[in-house]
Amino acid sequence: MTDALRQSWKDIRDIIHARITDRRYAPGDKLPRDEDLAAEFGCARSTVHRAMQHLAELGLLERKRKGGTIVRADPIARATLDIPITRLEVEATGASYGYRLESAQMEPAPPAVLARLGLKGAGPMLHVLALHLANGRPHIFEDRWICTQTVPEILAVDLTRQSANEWLVRHRPHTQYALQVAARAADAALARRLDIEPGTPLLVMHRTTWWDDNPITTVRAVTHPGYALHMAG
Amino acid sequence: MTDALRQSWKDIRDIIHARITDRRYAPGDKLPRDEDLAAEFGCARSTVHRAMQHLAELGLLERKRKGGTIVRADPIARATLDIPITRLEVEATGASYGYRLESAQMEPAPPAVLARLGLKGAGPMLHVLALHLANGRPHIFEDRWICTQTVPEILAVDLTRQSANEWLVRHRPHTQYALQVAARAADAALARRLDIEPGTPLLVMHRTTWWDDNPITTVRAVTHPGYALHMAG
DNA sequence: TAGTGGTCTAGACCACCGG
DNA sequence: CGGTGGTCTAGACCACTAT
């Protein structure tokens, strides 16, 4: 390959992307083999491969061994949400962070919680209720269940000083997660905890994490009014 | 390298991941150079590189040329949201899809819309109000502005038959996006359009897309009560 | 400026799966 | 079974940036 023709995988990616956009490769179409494209562009196959990988991750292409590469008929837009430790999220806005543990005790988990964790039955788990504050005002209320079978170390942590959120993120990375986001009206208990009027619309997130099929924790995080998730890319 | 020692990049990734989890590589620590790790594992540097790339994308590592690889002090959890074409999203649930165009006309965009698009001033744009239905009931109401300067072809599309959502996704992929999700109470106008009580909590999404700094569209999508976003990985 | 990650190449073999 | 994408290797050069 002469240096003059050297192409980066991003160049290749953009060329393919453009051909999809302008229907030269239409939805459902089969693209040439990586090797043929490499020949066309005068680059190595691995460079084409990398570009294709990226477009496949974006949801524009579908790739199968032997089946070749196909333009997805129904493109999917993907957005990535970054979920920082709550304390850092608050401090990043310049606000002062506060944390108040309401309770932490071993309890049998209700069926809804077991279902979210993918368990049929289980012994008692650690149930934590806590409030995160920003500038002294309620920011996020969390109702969390922690599988002490998977994370026994949590029992030795002083949760009045460090949030379960922070400890878990720092000490128990996960391999799987599920996250649901919905809008709900504050009931009486939430209204009291967040110091707002009952009925106020709130963003509610259910987040569950696993390490190789072993459930770690599931949390219902209720944000204060006006909270918004931001995603960009 | 002997075949017996051949390792896949996923193996390497898992080893590094484990070392981060068990604090062998603690937050803030600098990892050995890729080349040294490659020597330790008995694989090619590119294999280590790939593993490290993955962990960096996950938010566990930070990599800089010359600066080396560092374990992030504040791990970030990342979640990916798939945003399908609304019609397909509805049909995937087994429901019948309906679509009703309320209006589509050229108008000067209000400041808030210009701000979301990153514009200071602009000529009139195409303003589209439309309702997506599932089984005949309101599903998502969208209030959309389309930059006819970037997407003039949209003016030739019959938006009573095909939603702007679907046409844009199929014909105008984007290179940049911004997405915000919040909870809001339905005002009178929304309540009428979604056939619900005013004050009902609703999930509201603001989504804006660009092609290389050229704004394509911005939409405020208001979902029916009970709608939830699902993310997993 | 030197050291580190980022990328490209050319070639090889493997794994999956459609015909 | 054969064809395609997926991966690994060994080596080279480039680009960024900490020192």
Side-chain angles (χ1 to χ4, degrees):
Chain A
M1 191 51 27
T2 77
D3 281 354
L5 288 182
R6 210 161 233 255
Q7 315 219 32
S8 85
W9 68 269
K10 291 183 181 179
D11 295 335
I12 309 294
R13 175 198 63 185
D14 290 344
I15 292 172
I16 306 281
H17 194 153
R19 289 186 183 178
I20 294 171
T21 303
D22 69 15
R23 312 299 245 201
R24 183 157 161 190
Y25 297 146
D29 279 6
K30 187 160 160 184
L31 271 63
R33 306 153 50 215
D34 289 8
E35 197 169 340
D36 292 343
L37 285 172
E40 177 188 344
F41 298 133
C43 68
R45 180 163 82 93
S46 58
T47 304
V48 172
H49 176 73
R50 176 140 195 202
M52 299 293 244
Q53 278 287 44
H54 189 93
L55 292 169
E57 275 173 23
L58 284 183
L60 288 172
L61 297 178
E62 225 165 337
R63 280 161 77 76
K64 272 188 213 157
R65 285 161 152 128
K66 168 77 179 179
T69 303
I70 292 176
V71 181
R72 283 190 73 117
D74 27 303
I76 293 179
R78 291 213 162 100
T80 303
L81 174 64
D82 284 356
I83 310 168
I85 294 172
T86 306
R87 177 174 66 79
L88 299 174
E89 179 191 10
V90 168
E91 290 174 352
T93 68
S96 73
Y97 173 76
Y99 168 75
R100 213 143 62 203
L101 179 67
E102 181 175 320
S103 68
Q105 47 192 315
M106 298 298 292
E107 292 175 27
V113 168
L114 291 176
R116 284 213 298 278
L117 292 166
L119 296 173
K120 288 186 178 145
M125 302 172 36
L126 185 59
H127 186 197
V128 178
L129 300 179
L131 185 65
H132 302 267
L133 305 120
N135 282 334
R137 300 188 50 78
H139 183 68
I140 293 182
F141 173 73
E142 66 171 65
D143 177 348
R144 181 185 295 272
W145 293 81
I146 304 170
C147 292
T148 46
Q149 208 153 29
T150 310
V151 199
E153 311 94 304
I154 191 75
L155 293 171
V157 178
D158 178 3
L159 292 177
T160 61
R161 308 195 56 231
Q162 184 178 195
S163 75
N165 170 286
E166 183 152 0
W167 189 90
L168 284 166
V169 171
R170 288 198 189 282
H171 296 78
R172 279 296 157 124
H174 55 269
T175 57
Q176 297 285 324
Y177 72 87
L179 173 64
Q180 294 155 40
V181 181
R184 294 278 179 273
D187 60 21
L190 272 179
R192 177 172 47 74
R193 284 165 167 139
L194 291 174
D195 191 22
I196 54 174
E197 292 298 314
T200 306
L202 302 170
L203 207 58
V204 179
M205 287 176 279
H206 279 284
R207 183 144 182 274
T208 309
T209 56
W210 293 266
W211 178 271
D212 285 347
D213 294 338
N214 300 311
I216 298 173
T217 185
T218 185
V219 59
R220 179 179 63 123
V222 186
T223 67
H224 78 282
Y227 185 95
L229 295 174
H230 291 264
M231 309 163 88
Chain B
M1 193 51 25
T2 78
D3 281 355
L5 290 181
R6 208 162 235 252
Q7 316 219 31
S8 85
W9 68 270
K10 291 183 182 180
D11 295 335
I12 309 295
R13 175 198 64 185
D14 290 344
I15 293 172
I16 307 282
H17 194 154
R19 290 186 183 179
I20 295 172
T21 303
D22 68 17
R23 312 299 248 199
R24 183 156 161 193
Y25 297 147
D29 279 6
K30 187 159 156 183
L31 271 64
R33 306 153 49 215
D34 289 8
E35 197 168 341
D36 292 342
L37 285 172
E40 176 188 344
F41 298 133
C43 67
R45 179 164 79 94
S46 58
T47 304
V48 172
H49 175 75
R50 176 139 194 200
M52 299 292 246
Q53 277 287 43
H54 189 92
L55 293 169
E57 274 172 24
L58 285 183
L60 288 172
L61 297 178
E62 225 166 336
R63 280 161 76 75
K64 271 187 214 159
R65 286 160 151 124
K66 167 79 178 180
T69 303
I70 292 176
V71 181
R72 284 190 71 117
D74 33 308
I76 292 180
R78 292 215 161 97
T80 302
L81 174 66
D82 284 356
I83 311 167
I85 293 171
T86 305
R87 177 173 65 79
L88 299 174
E89 180 191 10
V90 169
E91 289 173 352
T93 68
S96 73
Y97 173 75
Y99 168 74
R100 214 145 59 204
L101 178 67
E102 181 176 317
S103 68
Q105 48 192 313
M106 297 298 291
E107 290 175 29
V113 167
L114 291 177
R116 284 213 298 277
L117 292 165
L119 297 172
K120 291 190 176 143
M125 301 171 39
L126 185 59
H127 187 199
V128 178
L129 299 178
L131 186 66
H132 302 267
L133 304 119
N135 283 336
R137 298 189 52 77
H139 183 68
I140 293 181
F141 173 72
E142 65 172 64
D143 177 347
R144 182 185 294 273
W145 292 82
I146 304 170
C147 292
T148 46
Q149 208 153 28
T150 310
V151 200
E153 312 94 302
I154 190 72
L155 293 171
V157 177
D158 179 3
L159 292 177
T160 60
R161 308 197 55 229
Q162 185 178 195
S163 75
N165 170 284
E166 183 152 358
W167 189 91
L168 284 166
V169 171
R170 287 198 190 282
H171 295 79
R172 279 296 158 125
H174 55 270
T175 56
Q176 298 285 324
Y177 72 87
L179 174 63
Q180 293 154 41
V181 182
R184 293 279 180 272
D187 60 19
L190 273 178
R192 177 172 47 75
R193 283 166 168 137
L194 291 174
D195 191 20
I196 55 175
E197 292 298 314
T200 306
L202 302 170
L203 207 59
V204 179
M205 288 176 279
H206 278 284
R207 185 147 181 271
T208 308
T209 57
W210 293 265
W211 178 268
D212 284 347
D213 294 337
N214 300 311
I216 297 173
T217 185
T218 185
V219 60
R220 180 180 63 123
V222 185
T223 66
H224 77 283
Y227 185 95
L229 295 175
H230 291 265
M231 307 159 90

